Amino acid sequence: MSAPTVKAQTIDELHSLQKKKSAPTTPIKGFRVPLLLSPKKNARNSSSSPSGKCLDFATLENVPRNGNRMQLASLASLTRETGPKVVRGDPASKNQTSPRVHQQHVAEPTISASDSSLKFTHVLYNLSPAVDCLCDKLIHPSIYRAELYEQAIHYEKGSFITSTGALATLSGAKTGRAPRDKRVVKDDVTGEELWWGKGSPNIEMDEHTFLVNRERAVDYLNSLDKVFVNDQFLNWDPENRIKVRIVSARAYHSLFMHNMCIRPTPEELEDFGTPDFTIYNAGQFPCNRYTHYMTSSTSIDLNLARREMVILGTQYAGEMKKGLFSVMHYLMPKRQILSLHSGCNMGKDGDVALFFGLSGTGKTTLSTDPNRYLIGDDEHCWTETGVSNIEGGCYAKCIDLSREKEPDIWNAIKFGTVLENVVFEEHTREVDYADKSVTENTRASYPIEYIPNAKIPCVGPHPKNVILLACDAFGVLPPVSKLNLAQTMYHFISGYTALVAGTEEGVKEPRATFSACFGAAFIMMHPTKYAAMLAEKMQKHGATGWLVNTGWSGGSYGSGNRIKLAYTRKIIDAIHSGSLLKAEYKKTEVFGLEIPTAVEGVPSEILDPVNTWSNKLGYKDTLMKLAGLFKNNFEIFTDHKIGKGSELTGEILAAGPNF
Ligand SMILES: Nc1ncnc2c1ncn2[C@@H]1O[C@H](COP(=O)(O)OP(=O)(O)O)[C@@H](O)[C@H]1O
Ligand SMILES: C=C(OP(=O)(O)O)C(=O)O
Ligand SMILES: [Ca+2]
Ligand SMILES: [Mn+2]
């Protein structure tokens, strides 16, 4: 589970991985991305520096509750009265002669002032370098995106425009999340409310250490000439919408969150007010590993009481998205709303399906279905009235992406899309999606409206089908099984998948992962809390549970093959249409799963995995091995009750493998 890191030893090496040196075609001298901004060697001393019209950072408490002013407090140091002066706009902007500042009090320099209080930090707010208030004119999203492109290309090495117009970026040394470096402040309240200890993703830190890291991040951000501030929303359910602010140092991060969160209208931005939650992303700067609770130079720190998150030592953008998801996993259940690590789509008749699954199991691929409306690919809420997407964008894996198999995702990779860690051909700027030189975890982040069938607003009625995706690299789980409620709960709490480890390490043996609620890295309370809510909702609304293996068939990884995406799609079609509910079923040994004898468009012999293995003994051994892993994993849950009565709990315990 450790964070994927990049294979390069130096920054230059990393950057050389990104571009493929093909045989030279026509040498196009000087063909590079044109510099769209007026370059200034020393932006700080440029004409943009205002004279005397700047302000000190106020502390959070001192700031007027006013949309325009709040943002200037974003970088407040908690320990110093004076600090860098904040101005709005791009320091390199030509026409920016006297930036307007949004607070009247002018700080008197004091003898104790440090150098940082003498400098300016420019805030690019929901990116508009224009100094005038952006609220009085309609700003097209394309302008935001173009400005962020310009910032990235001009200032961030490794940023390029690909042949389809996407922004290729590098996330640096970290190319995946770092769950072991996540810390959560344990105080009187969270100590009681959250899930701590074995199996829990919440590793404790104290308030003081949080403030140490917060100060480190804020000082780093303050030392820069400019920072980006995004004010956006989470959750398409208007009654449970959360206001988030992201303060970051890179245009890449700002564009990523612009795509991933819900984008406010200019009117909403004007009335934005105080955010409910703030991220300080100082990912280029490490934490001090001698700080208490730190075990590496990376730290992702969550403080629920302060409603803040601090990121140090990782530039992987997914930390922000999934960090906010953790926050929702705390806030929503407190309102009796179930938060879900799932994709979600809806048919023409309004039938909604949820797709649960760990990373790489197919949530994004299978919820993005040209025949259905996409509600969202990764994070949802289920309330008394139905489902809502938490996000405003999608984050697709793009390793081996093909136009033919995943046309909607392919076509979404265009201007405005952030393409992380992909390799492209130097002259044509065509991306080679098969190339894993930088990482296997290559990603595309795009606004949800880039998918033609997106359902805007991203809400829908109660789900009819709950699909649990497992990518079983052992190759013993059936391609599809119909689950009763107890089995659904058993598999939901287990959260199984087995992927193959990094291919280059020559790992032959698949590695099983059990991640409670198919998202143990993100849940904040005990898994049974979410499971009980899911059981209650599925029962109430008559939803059917399904287990779909998107992994191996005909043998484990190494001898078998991954089930063809086209077959999985046929299986999913049959679930959606209701035809699979009426199929004929038989029960498997050991796992006791109900499997259909036929599915339209899928060869019947693959439906029972035993048929696909030529080595029958090998099949049985592998099946027993997996069953044992399930049993071991479930041990920590046997003492917990699900829901009010003990009946369901007993049924759930009995719903696992029997041997
Ligand atoms: N049978 C299959 N079902 C689903 N995905 C498959 C299948 N075979 C290969 N894949 C690939 O597996 C990956 C699934 O990733 P993705 O949908 O992004 O996962 P998630 O959103 O759950 O993290 C995609 O790259 C997809 O092309
Ligand atoms: C973004 C992530 O989610 P997923 O792989 O589920 O799409 C992640 O786990 O970093
Ligand atoms: Ca995802
Ligand atoms: Mn996904």
Side-chain angles (χ1 to χ4, degrees):
M1 271 260 277
S2 66
T5 48
V6 83
K7 289 153 205 155
Q9 300 292 316
T10 66
I11 288 184
D12 286 345
E13 215 180 294
L14 171 61
H15 286 271
S16 74
L17 290 177
Q18 187 186 28
K19 277 185 276 173
K20 273 197 209 271
K21 303 255 185 290
S22 56
T25 50
T26 328
I28 312 170
K29 222 179 156 204
F31 173 79
R32 278 268 165 155
V33 180
L35 295 180
L36 296 161
L37 295 170
S38 63
K40 289 237 166 66
K41 274 268 141 42
N42 189 345
R44 202 184 303 169
N45 296 333
S46 76
S47 58
S48 66
S49 296
S51 49
K53 274 200 167 182
C54 28
L55 59 129
D56 280 339
F57 285 131
T59 60
L60 279 172
E61 290 70 29
N62 288 342
V63 171
R65 308 268 140 183
N66 166 302
N68 275 338
R69 291 177 189 179
M70 255 317 286
Q71 58 118 341
L72 299 171
S74 287
L75 289 173
S77 159
L78 296 170
T79 53
R80 282 186 291 275
E81 299 253 324
T82 59
K85 303 160 195 345
V86 180
V87 290
R88 184 179 258 186
D90 180 3
S93 177
K94 241 194 233 151
N95 51 17
Q96 193 186 5
T97 43
S98 69
R100 189 174 299 173
V101 283
H102 293 267
Q103 201 165 307
Q104 276 69 43
H105 308 290
V106 177
E108 296 294 330
T110 61
I111 309 168
S112 65
S114 69
D115 285 342
S116 71
S117 66
L118 302 176
K119 75 174 281 292
F120 301 98
T121 297
H122 293 250
V123 172
L124 301 183
Y125 180 69
N126 276 37
L127 207 284
S128 181
V131 285
D132 290 316
C133 180
L134 31 119
C135 306
D136 55 11
K137 57 181 184 221
L138 265 172
I139 291 169
H140 194 272
S142 287
I143 297 179
Y144 290 161
R145 292 171 191 147
E147 288 170 341
L148 288 165
Y149 265 56
E150 290 158 2
Q151 291 286 329
I153 288 160
H154 194 174
Y155 298 105
E156 296 168 17
K157 217 180 156 203
S159 303
F160 296 93
I161 300 179
T162 70
S163 63
T164 66
L167 180 71
T169 65
L170 289 174
S171 69
K174 294 281 184 349
T175 58
R177 282 182 300 102
R180 285 202 200 105
D181 294 315
K182 193 176 147 190
R183 297 289 178 274
V184 179
V185 173
K186 190 172 190 176
D187 54 29
D188 292 348
V189 178
T190 58
E192 286 291 312
E193 286 181 336
L194 304 190
W195 180 27
W196 302 98
K198 191 167 186 263
S200 154
N202 305 316
I203 308 171
E204 74 170 278
M205 84 188 309
D206 62 20
E207 166 87 7
H208 177 81
T209 311
F210 177 85
L211 293 177
V212 170
N213 280 358
R214 184 195 191 277
E215 193 80 339
R216 195 167 167 97
V218 168
D219 279 347
Y220 169 74
L221 291 165
N222 279 336
S223 75
L224 304 173
D225 290 331
K226 62 170 176 262
V227 296
F228 297 87
V229 175
N230 291 38
D231 277 350
Q232 298 186 250
F233 300 117
L234 295 180
N235 202 353
W236 286 86
D237 168 8
E239 296 196 358
N240 296 292
R241 192 166 84 169
I242 303 293
K243 296 187 281 181
V244 289
R245 169 169 297 162
I246 300 101
V247 185
S248 62
R250 291 189 63 178
Y252 149 46
H253 289 151
S254 185
L255 182 57
F256 177 89
M257 291 309 267
H258 170 79
N259 288 347
M260 295 311 299
C261 299
I262 299 168
R263 293 157 288 282
T265 63
E267 295 74 34
E268 288 170 331
L269 199 56
E270 187 167 18
D271 299 333
F272 196 80
T274 311
D276 300 310
F277 198 87
T278 302
I279 295 182
Y280 296 97
N281 186 345
Q284 288 121 302
F285 200 67
C287 71
N288 184 333
R289 65 201 161 91
Y290 294 110
T291 307
H292 193 25
Y293 298 103
M294 300 297 106
T295 49
S296 79
S297 58
T298 299
S299 198
I300 302 109
D301 307 329
L302 180 54
N303 187 330
L304 291 168
R306 287 188 59 87
R307 300 157 169 260
E308 288 180 340
M309 178 181 299
V310 166
I311 299 177
L312 288 162
T314 172
Q315 298 180 62
Y316 181 65
E319 294 290 2
M320 292 184 284
K321 160 202 155 65
K322 282 283 160 66
L324 291 175
F325 191 33
S326 298
V327 175
M328 293 300 275
H329 266 315
Y330 174 74
L331 294 177
M332 293 298 115
K334 283 176 84 77
R335 303 180 185 187
Q336 308 310 316
I337 295 167
L338 176 58
S339 41
L340 316 157
H341 185 214
S342 77
C344 181
N345 67 17
M346 186 176 88
K348 306 264 184 301
D349 302 330
D351 61 297
V352 167
L354 296 176
F355 300 80
F356 285 98
L358 292 171
S359 188
T361 56
K363 295 183 299 298
T364 302
T365 298
L366 299 170
S367 57
T368 309
D369 180 337
N371 298 314
R372 294 172 64 84
Y373 301 111
L374 177 65
I375 292 177
D377 79 322
D378 198 54
E379 306 176 7
H380 291 84
C381 287
W382 190 347
T383 67
E384 282 297 302
T385 54
V387 287
S388 60
N389 188 355
I390 289 175
E391 301 180 293
C394 303
Y395 194 31
K397 270 187 174 290
C398 33
I399 200 68
D400 296 325
L401 183 70
S402 81
R403 188 205 295 263
E404 178 220 340
K405 288 186 195 146
E406 302 187 58
D408 283 348
I409 295 175
W410 179 278
N411 290 326
I413 300 178
K414 58 183 181 183
F415 174 76
T417 297
V418 178
L419 259 183
E420 279 178 334
N421 300 320
V422 297
V423 174
F424 52 85
E425 207 279 323
E426 194 171 18
H427 295 289
T428 64
R429 298 293 169 96
E430 267 163 31
V431 178
D432 179 355
Y433 288 108
D435 198 316
K436 303 174 183 171
S437 302
V438 178
T439 177
E440 181 152 354
N441 188 28
T442 55
R443 294 272 183 163
S445 151
Y446 45 87
I448 191 158
E449 61 268 20
Y450 281 18
I451 299 296
N453 285 344
K455 160 91 178 55
I456 311 279
C458 303
V459 295
H462 295 291
K464 185 173 143 197
N465 290 297
V466 171
I467 302 169
L468 310 182
L469 304 171
C471 178
D472 176 29
F474 289 103
V476 293
L477 287 184
V480 59
S481 321
K482 187 176 70 177
L483 307 173
N484 61 32
L485 188 66
Q487 285 176 316
T488 309
M489 290 307 120
Y490 179 85
H491 286 280
F492 179 70
I493 296 167
S494 296
Y496 163 73
T497 202
L499 298 170
V500 290
T503 33
E504 77 289 345
E505 293 161 52
V507 178
K508 293 212 174 62
E509 179 87 328
R511 204 181 38 188
T513 307
F514 292 93
S515 179
C517 309
F518 290 101
F522 324 117
I523 59 177
M524 304 240 58
M525 289 173 269
H526 196 272
T528 51
K529 163 122 187 152
Y530 305 92
M533 289 177 79
L534 182 63
E536 196 252 330
K537 287 182 181 297
M538 284 185 67
Q539 214 157 18
K540 188 166 171 188
H541 303 289
T544 308
W546 305 88
L547 180 64
V548 171
N549 174 13
T550 62
W552 270 251
S553 173
S556 297
Y557 171 79
S559 56
N561 289 300
R562 191 152 183 198
I563 294 167
K564 282 194 170 67
L565 179 54
Y567 292 159
T568 302
R569 288 203 196 277
K570 287 287 179 196
I571 287 167
I572 300 290
D573 287 347
I575 292 174
H576 292 319
S577 77
S579 68
L580 203 56
L581 201 55
K582 298 186 213 119
E584 193 186 315
Y585 282 87
K586 65 175 189 183
K587 212 180 184 105
T588 67
E589 52 173 357
V590 185
F591 276 86
L593 296 165
E594 297 279 344
I595 58 171
T597 52
V599 179
E600 202 194 311
V602 183
S604 293
E605 63 273 16
I606 75 165
L607 295 174
D608 189 347
V610 69
N611 298 332
T612 64
W613 283 61
S614 50
N615 174 3
K616 303 292 180 209
L617 235 58
Y619 168 76
K620 190 67 199 258
D621 282 354
T622 311
L623 184 69
M624 294 309 294
K625 182 178 172 179
L626 184 60
L629 293 172
F630 265 85
K631 210 164 217 175
N632 284 345
N633 172 69
F634 215 80
E635 235 131 63
I636 54 167
F637 300 113
T638 47
D639 297 337
H640 290 272
K641 254 199 181 160
I642 312 273
K644 292 184 187 78
S646 57
E647 202 182 317
L648 183 60
T649 307
E651 285 174 27
I652 293 170
L653 290 174
N658 259 306
F659 56 96

